[in-house]
Amino acid sequence: MIAAVLPETFSVEGTGALGYRFRLAGTRICEQFGRELRGADLLSLWQGADRDAVASLLRNVVADGVVGHGHFRAYSCSNRQASFEFVLLPLIHTGEAINRILGAITAIEPPFWLGAEPLLRQEIVELNLHWPDGVPAFVAQGGAEVISLASRRFRALEGGLGESE
């Protein structure tokens, strides 16, 4: 089943405080944006306040190991609109620090024209964070009182094939 989602996945690496370079970008993502994204900065897809908001979300993913996700609208050169969801998952490539992000971008009810007209402008609708333990690090360290927690949580579980006896 993973083959079906690979065209909508990507990986980026942090290139400093202000950059997140695409190492890989799925074919569907590149078709929708009308260009090869490998080597481009993920933040180049956004402008102004939306760029700042996405940069803040990426910094949280890298610094705190949180899962980021959101919803955005994208517009083509003829001003056609499509809605998308995305997810950002922290990865450790080398050492102890999170220095890569695995992500996915998928269209919500893809319109017939998507992929035929490149997406030129995006605007954020919603951004969210989910902490691994359901609690922000500053709260877990006694910095604030937790009033409520989200009912859904992301957890990484050890898996794989076990040896048969």
Side-chain angles (χ1 to χ4, degrees):
M1 292 306 272
I2 194 164
V5 297
L6 284 177
E8 297 178 336
T9 62
F10 63 88
S11 73
V12 295
E13 71 178 333
T15 58
L18 301 175
Y20 296 90
R21 181 174 57 99
F22 280 100
R23 292 192 50 82
L24 298 169
T27 54
R28 189 166 301 128
I29 297 170
C30 293
E31 287 170 358
Q32 292 167 344
F33 285 92
R35 62 187 168 119
E36 174 61 56
L37 291 172
R38 186 177 54 214
D41 189 336
L42 173 62
L43 293 174
S44 71
L45 300 177
W46 313 99
Q47 295 182 11
D50 285 343
R51 180 184 174 104
D52 294 341
V54 173
S56 178
L57 182 74
L58 288 162
R59 282 192 302 272
N60 278 287
V61 171
V62 171
D64 298 330
V66 303
V67 173
H69 66 92
H71 173 213
F72 67 92
R73 282 188 291 272
Y75 300 88
S76 72
C77 55
S78 63
N79 214 32
R80 288 179 164 169
Q81 178 182 321
S83 292
F84 292 84
E85 291 180 314
F86 68 93
V87 65
L88 304 168
L89 307 169
L91 293 175
I92 296 174
H93 175 60
T94 57
E96 300 289 321
I98 296 166
N99 51 13
R100 298 228 174 134
I101 296 171
L102 176 65
I105 297 174
T106 188
I108 302 168
E109 299 180 21
F112 72 92
W113 57 267
L114 192 58
E117 291 184 32
L119 301 173
L120 301 179
R121 180 174 58 88
Q122 288 68 241
E123 63 183 35
I124 295 296
V125 174
E126 179 182 5
L127 296 175
N128 297 288
L129 295 172
H130 287 281
W131 280 264
D133 294 325
V135 180
F138 68 88
V139 173
Q141 296 167 3
E145 181 181 343
V146 176
I147 296 171
S148 66
L149 297 175
S151 60
R152 294 185 292 170
R153 296 181 184 176
F154 173 81
R155 294 225 183 251
L157 301 175
E158 187 175 337
L161 299 174
E163 293 182 29
S164 51
E165 314 229 288

